[in-house]
Amino acid sequence: MAPFAISIAGLLPSSITEHADQVDRERSETDISPVSIIAAGLAHVVEAAERRGLDTSVQRAAHAQMQRSIDAGHGDLDASIVTAALLADAAPAAT
């Protein structure tokens, strides 16, 4: 298990950098995994975890934010669109 975890952890730095760059550039196009596909996969994980009696509150919250982006018409974009929406919500209102 440790080698697998270490290899997955090794992917994070470049993934985080790419994600942040997409948010900063306000570009969320993707040809790999749109948020609609990620949300569908997460829904299956949540269902399986709940069948085993596991707490899925964090995963449900993440899925709700993805669904919000999908409902806004952004299901074909990269998951960075979810981050952009959360940042927009957190930004102070212009007066």
Side-chain angles (χ1 to χ4, degrees):
M1 181 70 180
F4 175 72
I6 290 168
S7 69
I8 293 296
L11 298 173
L12 289 176
S14 63
S15 296
I16 291 168
T17 301
E18 181 180 338
H19 186 88
D21 184 52
Q22 286 183 290
V23 172
D24 290 346
R25 291 184 301 122
E26 297 180 357
R27 297 190 58 120
S28 296
E29 296 83 15
T30 185
D31 59 354
I32 299 173
S33 294
V35 72
S36 59
I37 298 299
I38 298 168
L42 182 54
H44 288 293
V45 169
V46 168
E47 291 170 17
E50 287 178 342
R51 282 195 304 270
R52 285 157 182 79
L54 300 173
D55 177 14
T56 60
S57 55
V58 171
Q59 292 83 357
R60 283 194 166 280
H63 186 270
Q65 292 303 320
M66 289 180 197
Q67 189 61 52
R68 185 173 152 223
S69 291
I70 294 165
D71 293 346
H74 304 300
D76 61 334
L77 298 177
D78 182 80
S80 63
I81 195 67
V82 177
T83 302
L86 291 169
L87 289 171
D89 289 348
T95 55

